[in-house]
Amino acid sequence: MIKKYVYGNPFSTEAAVENIIPSEDSIPYFEADGQGNFTLTLAENDIVYGLGEQIRGINKRGWEYVNWNYDNPNHHEDARSLYGSHNFIIISGAETFGAFFDYPGKMTFDIGYTKRSEMHIHAESSDIAVYIITGEDEKDIVKQFRKLIGRSYIPPMWAFGYGQSRWGYKDEKDIRNAAEGYRAAGIPLDSIYLDIDYMENYKDFTVDNKRFPDLKKLTAEMKADGIHLVPIIDAGVKIEEGYDVYEEGVSNNYFCKNAEGGDFVGAVWPGKVHFPDFLNPAAREWFGKKYEVLTSIGIDGFWNDMNEPAIFYTEDRLADTLSEIEKLASGNMGIDEYFRFTGMVAGLNGNIGDYDKFYHNINGEMVNHSTVHNLYGMNMTRSAFEALEKIEPEKRTLFFSRSSYIGAHRYGGIWQGDNKSWWSHILQSMQQLPALNMAGFLFTGSDTGGFGCDTTEDLVLRWLQYSLFTPLFRNHAAEGTRDQELYRFSTVQAMGEMIKIRYSLIPYLYSEFLKAALNNEMMFRPLSFDFPNDEDSLNTDDQLLLGNELMIAPVYKQNAKGRCVYLPEEMMMVRMRKHDDFDTEILPRGHHYVRAELEELVFFIRSKKMIPVCKPANSTDKIDWNSITYLGYADCTYTLYKDNGISPNPEDSLEITELR
Amino acid sequence: MIKKYVYGNPFSTEAAVENIIPSEDSIPYFEADGQGNFTLTLAENDIVYGLGEQIRGINKRGWEYVNWNYDNPNHHEDARSLYGSHNFIIISGAETFGAFFDYPGKMTFDIGYTKRSEMHIHAESSDIAVYIITGEDEKDIVKQFRKLIGRSYIPPMWAFGYGQSRWGYKDEKDIRNAAEGYRAAGIPLDSIYLDIDYMENYKDFTVDNKRFPDLKKLTAEMKADGIHLVPIIDAGVKIEEGYDVYEEGVSNNYFCKNAEGGDFVGAVWPGKVHFPDFLNPAAREWFGKKYEVLTSIGIDGFWNDMNEPAIFYTEDRLADTLSEIEKLASGNMGIDEYFRFTGMVAGLNGNIGDYDKFYHNINGEMVNHSTVHNLYGMNMTRSAFEALEKIEPEKRTLFFSRSSYIGAHRYGGIWQGDNKSWWSHILQSMQQLPALNMAGFLFTGSDTGGFGCDTTEDLVLRWLQYSLFTPLFRNHAAEGTRDQELYRFSTVQAMGEMIKIRYSLIPYLYSEFLKAALNNEMMFRPLSFDFPNDEDSLNTDDQLLLGNELMIAPVYKQNAKGRCVYLPEEMMMVRMRKHDDFDTEILPRGHHYVRAELEELVFFIRSKKMIPVCKPANSTDKIDWNSITYLGYADCTYTLYKDNGISPNPEDSLEITELR
């Protein structure tokens, strides 16, 4: 059951799609002061799940989180904010319930940080809607919540293929080299991503025609080989006379305004930009239509970036800083002045004070950005999604975003942002999955191999062995870091086998994804959700259940040749070198140390379950669905969900088959 | 056997204390080009141990390390350099041998990073001495190497007590509050550290007499309660007319020189400073004598900091930067200019180019700092140690340093530097211990609770459960972070019990430390050193053997209630809540999942071994050595090493007792 409690006059975030009449009762479980503060006592063994993208383990106890969408490339243990704000939690213990704090500004979740036995939640204003969800168990609570917030975005089937990306593919030749590198190595590939390099001076909806003289032709050429090009779109629109998007935005007042009523100026990749007012329906519609510039030449997928929105600096703060530096420099700069100087400069990027300086036009009312900050990225993706429903009504377009709020899951996926080539970021990504699924984000994954920092060969191989299970499966790296296309490495053979294994699992992964989306379920769950009375399951934070048939337990440590795995029930361990070279072993319930050489993928099939596997193909469109065989226990069944992979409404072509 | 191979004309680092006649043969194992390059093929299962303080696991394969002493507060997975350079490695495989690259400048160790099967070692110049050590096994190789480099520093026994530190104890009252906080909570304490706050404007060998009006009295008052005050000494000497250290250094040419022959100017905490020329014997002697300013008022321990040396900025680079900023600011700053601006500012601190700008006077010859950079910190601690041998000839003084090179281990310990309040930094510290021990650094430990970032209560408690086994056992935190004195937390009771357990283990820890120091052994060893033929031991990187009797396997994950532990032989598991409240269980060889509630310490006693334990006391001087009882297997013996804890030469009072 879901009950809604309203305080003050909350902003309508459109996170929920069902209209629930607010309760007259006072909120249960929490002590609420009506000033945006909610306090709850935690018993020693209570577990707190949720908070979507936030890091620090599956159980969120012990840290203070600040839900404020933030371009934070440092996914460090002490990070309090990342790109998305997902204010949904489940408290699991003697009493188990879910709570969604529907509030678009800054929120703090102190989950036993200040005081181990106390959770304190704080919204910056007293205008907030809270939903309390009770149910049979965690899975039931999630199901109810997901129904409340609406069906999750389903991407085209080709988006389940493997993708290669790199910030730094400068021209058509770089793209062709990547495609050829994969094809020559015999490694399947469904997409190549275009980072900001493809644009003309980082202007949205432009293509640099020196470096990409014929993107239409390139797109067609790639697609003929099963490879989709997926360009990036950034939130900020470059200020440049004669640039149509800029001109139209200005003349129609589609950009966010400053306090004086002028168009607000920030700076990101293009230099000085205006920010489209995605909270203004007219601006949203206008910006969305621009995607046609690219879909009209054959593009069918996009990633929306920098939409927290990221702000490298604002003109006035930079000017203040420079004038302050001038003053400091003219004196005898001592150590205090030096730290003031370097601190000011370091504080230009993402300065929280800058978000107070601009406004949205929401039905004629000027609303300060900070109060609705966390909705910006969601409405950028919504802008694209809703426009493409009209532009390409017959097919799904791939969308995923960096920034999000609950509700954004209806319009696209998200990727887990600018991680690093750190071993710990394999585990970190995995630990994010269940809470993202709770919040509706099913199409997600991490930058495989790591975005920032130099990667290593063994890290890439181990990371593949995890990511090959995630819906979004993309290798991506930052400019200036070590090349990490798979064909660069001496273990390319083994890496290629991992990609082929992915493709052989697509029938299963796609089927489980459809089930999760259509039935409001989680594709990735903590062990505890299925084994709630098993203490070791409650404490397992580096393994996940995948759908109803699999358990994954990747190796995420350098030089490790195995790992400890906990089996909450008897399972079949699969040790796979190639999709058709593997061995299996039935292991009993309990703790096991499991060997896994660097080139071996290990995963587990649950008791009395089986999964469909197919022959790998060079791209998803070439998968022969008639090649399906089964892996797992004998004498059991699997329910396969399948559609044509393209219809906007999957029900139009959905086939549900009981396989045995 | 140790053989020495000399290329060119190496600088005499004084790392080795034995004079080995260089071999005429060409170096075995490696391909050497005589230009500072050494290449070796690695077999798939070879393990590479060593590199001292460097992070990324016990087995160093898979990363590129740059041994260049560096004030690096970001002990991130991608860190290539930390504070110390310890160029000793052991390659363990079909052929096992040790190699010490005695070279004081920048060295790179590419250990299967560029190419998985290849190790490439590079020194910036061709003048280098290499020692190749062969022996029975890894332990034998270490023993020979340690004999080569001389006996490790042995601190006074009180240094094995627990210490409290914080950057931010501003005055006598803060110190007294810390002492009272511990005493009121009944928690043992042997030392309180004075960070840079105690000095007058960060001037070495001064005391701010407003905030510390009578440090002598405070020192005596504390010592009467068993608490030693341990002040910090920084490398840089403030430029200030009338300040004696500055004046003497200038007039005697004891500071490092710039290219023009003037005193080189850098900036650190005091603002502009000169750097004492610790490589000049006369300057070293002069600086060392200054410690008497503090020993004369009762101080008997020091930590030497900022001695990489850290340089926040140099005058000329700052001036260039400011003038460049002025130019950029006067134009229309675009995004490229902006990144140039912020990059320049971020690049001021620790800029490697600054180290080319100064010189040491070594026997009359001006030697560019960069070529001998890694020796600076070592010679600072040597300066203090050698002076105190004369000033306080009857007793040991506590010294530990941030920066080091092999050889520094004879003059003091090191702490593991400015870590963070991250769970991963518990494991990181533990993984550093064996390689530090190999390089002679026995007196070491991490900033318990974490230095940077805000700590959490559970992190502190788990960290204590690891650190209570390390010789240096200090709680330390940075200014601006959350308070982390143990008495601040609701679990102070359990935390206090952990400290008491530490004190009950001091007879064992001190005894094993003396054995390691006197017999050139490692106090902390990987399991593989004692179980070289056991594959699971080879792959265990989150457990260590401690002395000959214990194995530690701390819990280092948030919210964990246990962990997997591998037992290479039958062992006795001890689960301890208090020093006198514990249970034991004999576990067979193999992998085990071991429960450990937050307030429980778990460790292991090796088969047929026992350890001495005593009654805890408020400080080490109050330990009743007659209260020793035994914990472990029955019918076995333990060899106790004990001395008076104070004599510079431990042999003078050494007692070796066979206990049964």
Side-chain angles (χ1 to χ4, degrees), chain A residues 115-132:
Chain A
K115 201 173 158 192
R116 269 184 65 73
S117 59
E118 197 170 290
M119 171 153 64
H120 183 73
I121 297 165
H122 173 70
E124 285 216 326
S125 105
S126 54
D127 299 317
I128 181 169
V130 185
Y131 298 80
I132 299 289

Side-chain angles (χ1 to χ4, degrees), chain B residues 297-314:
Chain B
I297 60 167
I299 295 294
D300 48 13
F302 299 92
W303 44 315
N304 286 337
D305 196 13
M306 302 292 283
N307 51 358
E308 292 73 23
I311 303 178
F312 293 160
Y313 65 90
T314 52

Side-chain angles (χ1 to χ4, degrees), chain B residues 43 45-49 90-97 138 532 538:
Chain B
N45 288 320
D46 284 350
I47 295 176
V48 180
Y49 299 104
I90 294 177
I91 291 89
S92 171
E95 291 194 286
T96 296
F97 63 95
E138 290 85 355
L538 294 174

Side-chain angles (χ1 to χ4, degrees), chain B residues 97 195 529 569 599:
Chain B
F97 63 95
D195 207 322
F529 275 37
E569 61 180 9
E599 306 192 351

Side-chain angles (χ1 to χ4, degrees), chain A residues 476-612:
Chain A
H476 185 39
E479 192 170 50
T481 64
R482 182 180 186 177
D483 290 332
Q484 67 187 40
E485 294 82 7
L486 304 187
Y487 53 82
R488 308 270 187 185
F489 298 107
S490 68
T491 47
V492 56
Q493 177 74 27
M495 291 179 178
E497 296 303 338
M498 294 304 137
I499 307 300
K500 287 178 190 161
I501 292 170
R502 158 64 169 225
Y503 278 73
S504 77
L505 290 171
I506 282 181
Y508 179 70
L509 297 173
Y510 189 72
S511 170
E512 291 303 307
F513 186 95
L514 283 181
K515 284 181 200 171
L518 298 175
N519 305 327
N520 291 322
E521 289 168 349
M522 293 162 69
M523 187 169 168
F524 291 94
R525 298 181 306 284
L527 272 55
S528 56
F529 275 37
D530 286 38
F531 302 92
N533 300 315
D534 175 45
E535 197 182 330
D536 287 338
S537 288
L538 294 174
N539 294 327
T540 300
D541 75 346
D542 61 356
Q543 305 171 204
L544 291 178
L545 301 171
L546 192 186
N548 290 312
E549 285 73 18
L550 294 190
M551 182 176 81
I552 62 171
V555 174
Y556 53 87
K557 288 188 174 184
Q558 181 177 262
N559 294 317
K561 303 206 167 192
R563 56 161 289 173
C564 288
V565 178
Y566 175 65
L567 270 55
E569 62 180 8
E570 178 204 285
M571 290 190 190
M572 178 185 287
M573 177 172 70
V574 182
R575 187 183 280 112
M576 211 171 236
R577 291 160 292 275
K578 303 181 182 187
H579 73 100
D580 57 0
D581 172 18
F582 58 88
D583 39 73
T584 64
E585 185 184 351
I586 305 286
L587 295 178
R589 178 175 183 277
H591 293 273
H592 299 268
Y593 181 84
V594 166
R595 291 184 198 285
E597 293 291 330
L598 181 58
E599 307 191 352
E600 289 178 333
L601 168 71
V602 169
F603 63 95
F604 300 84
I605 300 178
R606 293 181 63 177
S607 186
K608 312 299 172 205
K609 304 278 186 188
M610 66 175 198
I611 62 167

Side-chain angles (χ1 to χ4, degrees), chain B residues 302-340:
Chain B
F302 299 92
W303 44 315
N304 286 337
D305 196 13
M306 302 292 283
N307 51 358
E308 292 73 23
I311 303 178
F312 293 160
Y313 65 90
T314 52
E315 272 192 306
D316 52 352
R317 188 179 302 278
L318 179 64
D320 289 351
T321 300
L322 291 170
S323 111
E324 197 64 29
I325 291 172
E326 206 183 320
K327 264 185 259 171
L328 290 172
S330 66
N332 185 5
M333 195 185 281
I335 205 73
D336 292 342
E337 291 80 15
Y338 169 76
F339 280 117
R340 210 161 127 235

Side-chain angles (χ1 to χ4, degrees), chain B residues 486-497:
Chain B
L486 304 186
Y487 54 82
R488 308 271 186 184
F489 299 107
S490 68
T491 48
V492 56
Q493 177 74 26
M495 291 179 178
E497 296 303 338

Side-chain angles (χ1 to χ4, degrees), chain A residues 69-130:
Chain A
N69 293 356
Y70 180 38
D71 171 17
N72 184 359
N74 299 313
H75 305 185
H76 297 171
E77 278 183 43
D78 59 299
R80 285 173 159 88
S81 303
L82 289 179
Y83 317 90
S85 292
H86 310 123
N87 304 334
F88 174 70
I89 53 176
I90 294 177
I91 292 89
S92 171
E95 292 195 285
T96 296
F97 63 95
F100 172 46
F101 296 83
D102 192 11
Y103 178 76
K106 187 172 158 190
M107 279 205 84
T108 304
F109 291 78
D110 175 341
I111 306 183
Y113 165 74
T114 300
K115 201 173 158 192
R116 269 184 65 73
S117 59
E118 197 170 290
M119 171 153 64
H120 183 73
I121 297 165
H122 173 70
E124 285 216 326
S125 105
S126 54
D127 299 317
I128 181 169
V130 185

